[in-house]
Amino acid sequence: MSLATLSLGHRAEIIKLARLCGVAEDSLAWLGQLEPKTIRALREQATAAMFDADRKRFQNMAVASRLLPIPILVLIIEKVIGPLICARVCGLVPASRAIEIAGKLKLPFMVDTCMQLDPRSAQELIGSFPKHLIIAIARELAARGEYVTMGRFIDLIALDVIPAVVEAIPDNAKLLHIAFFAEDTSRLGDIVERLTPERLKSVVEHSANGSAELWGEALALISGVDVGLQQKLAAITGALPEASLNTIVRNTQAIGRWDVLLPIVARMEPAQQQRVINLSVLQDDAIFADIIRAVFQLPDIRPVILLLTQLKPDARARLDEIAKRLGLSLPDPALLGPLIGGR
């Protein structure tokens, strides 16, 4: 089993677990046999086991650190203790003192320390950091390509700081990588809502014209937000130039995620639906076959069946013929329409 063949949810959880354990990502690909939520539970148990080991010793160090003036403590931390032990101790001292210490540390060292923080104690600490420090840490993490850490980091900072953090990371691909590894997917909508319309459009355009992997991460983002925001993102996508839509089709086929894209297209306005579903690049027997298989994987096939009615007659006849070859039969849209009550 290869990591590349797994679903987006599996990949995100396995990469996070591999990062925690310090092992190669592909070495854990066999965990793809489990549900993503099970892998996440395993990661949480591993986190507890790793960070609770020698906890008493680190608590004693945290108490002792209060006896030293901060300038001397900072010198000892940077020259002797190192970021790993510093992170263990920082999670056990009052947030106000930890922030005062962090403000005196060199930025690269402070970022190294943030990467080693116990996720369970990081929320109060990171959430209390001053805005300028958060922006500096975010910029450094993004420059290093530390997207797993950034995914956790973005969940912990105040929402009113998000616009400044986004502005500090002008690379749209990096924003998508960070969103892909966000721990709290329900918070993604709040974050996306705080992007300016121009930046949001730029992110969608960049993902549409990028690699198959990047488009897969964009799909994960779009499918993870609420219905209203999905419709907004679907509308931006549906208005892209034909060349961009063609790239989306090819990339979706490459990663095999029609089950994610079709419901998104079904949220577009009818004119956009008709434009997208009748793209010439889509009129391919292999793509049609994968679309048909994806339809039957959906928990609710009705909106997508109505979407397929937007196909031109010749293409629809061809789709039905391919379905028959696969031993499948697409439901009659006329029977489904009254049950849906609109899109």
Side-chain angles (χ1 to χ4, degrees):
M1 183 177 292
S2 168
L3 195 65
T5 64
L6 299 177
S7 73
L8 300 172
H10 281 97
R11 283 179 52 212
E13 287 301 333
I14 288 173
I15 290 171
K16 291 176 189 177
L17 180 59
R19 174 63 178 274
L20 174 68
C21 299
V23 300
E25 296 162 4
D26 279 327
S27 70
L28 299 181
W30 59 273
L31 288 171
Q33 301 171 74
L34 305 175
E35 292 292 324
K37 64 181 180 181
T38 304
I39 304 172
R40 179 168 185 159
L42 175 62
R43 176 165 56 87
E44 290 170 349
Q45 291 172 4
T47 297
M50 293 175 70
F51 283 94
D52 288 343
D54 296 323
R55 188 177 183 86
K56 182 64 176 176
R57 182 188 303 174
F58 291 127
Q59 284 176 328
N60 291 338
M61 291 179 67
V63 171
S65 71
R66 299 175 191 175
L67 304 176
L68 295 173
I70 287 182
I72 295 176
L73 185 59
V74 167
L75 186 64
I76 294 173
I77 288 172
E78 291 188 337
K79 299 297 183 181
V80 180
I81 292 179
L84 177 59
I85 295 177
C86 178
R88 297 295 195 273
V89 176
C90 276
L92 299 172
V93 302
S96 58
R97 182 167 174 82
I99 291 170
E100 190 175 358
I101 294 170
K104 305 294 184 183
L105 295 170
K106 295 182 178 66
L107 180 61
F109 187 96
M110 180 172 57
V111 172
D112 288 341
T113 302
C114 286
M115 290 170 59
Q116 302 290 345
L117 284 173
D118 182 346
R120 299 169 301 174
S121 61
Q123 184 162 11
E124 181 183 2
L125 180 59
I126 299 297
S128 302
F129 271 15
K131 184 176 178 179
H132 76 276
L133 205 53
I134 289 174
I135 293 171
I137 293 171
R139 188 182 285 117
E140 178 69 14
L141 285 170
R144 295 184 186 188
E146 292 291 347
Y147 306 123
V148 173
T149 303
M150 279 292 290
R152 184 173 74 239
F153 184 76
I154 207 77
D155 287 334
L156 303 178
I157 63 180
L159 285 172
D160 59 1
V161 181
I162 291 293
V165 171
V166 169
E167 187 177 346
I169 306 173
D171 189 323
N172 290 325
K174 290 186 176 183
L175 281 185
L176 286 164
H177 295 327
I178 293 165
F180 181 66
F181 289 110
E183 288 287 310
D184 184 4
T185 54
S186 64
R187 199 168 189 252
L188 284 177
D190 292 329
I191 294 172
V192 173
E193 289 283 14
R194 281 162 174 76
L195 299 181
T196 64
E198 295 77 18
R199 187 65 188 276
L200 186 57
K201 182 181 177 184
S202 176
V203 170
V204 173
E205 289 175 343
H206 188 87
S207 64
N209 293 296
S211 66
E213 181 182 5
L214 190 65
W215 175 242
E217 294 180 4
L219 280 179
L221 169 62
I222 297 173
S223 62
V225 299
D226 62 43
V227 172
L229 193 48
Q230 271 190 23
Q231 289 178 324
K232 182 178 180 179
L233 292 169
I236 295 173
T237 305
L240 291 172
E242 185 172 337
S244 299
L245 294 175
N246 288 341
T247 302
I248 286 175
V249 169
R250 296 188 188 99
N251 284 341
T252 302
Q253 179 70 2
I255 61 176
R257 295 325 308 247
W258 290 106
D259 59 315
V260 181
L261 180 60
L262 289 172
I264 294 170
V265 178
R267 297 201 183 281
M268 295 177 182
E269 293 300 317
Q272 288 185 333
Q273 289 181 355
Q274 189 172 34
R275 177 172 177 249
V276 171
I277 204 68
N278 287 293
L279 287 167
S280 58
V281 71
L282 200 67
Q283 316 303 309
D284 176 270
D285 285 3
I287 292 178
F288 271 173
D290 285 347
I291 286 176
I292 292 164
R293 294 187 187 99
V295 167
F296 288 94
Q297 295 174 15
L298 298 172
D300 183 4
I301 70 172
R302 295 171 298 175
V304 173
I305 293 299
L306 289 185
L307 167 65
L308 296 179
T309 64
Q310 299 281 9
L311 280 167
K312 293 177 181 177
D314 288 349
R316 178 58 204 239
R318 188 170 158 200
L319 186 76
D320 288 333
E321 178 60 33
I322 293 171
K324 288 179 183 178
R325 287 185 220 157
L326 296 173
L328 299 170
S329 178
L330 296 172
D332 183 353
L335 300 177
L336 294 176
L339 300 177
I340 296 177
R343 290 187 308 113

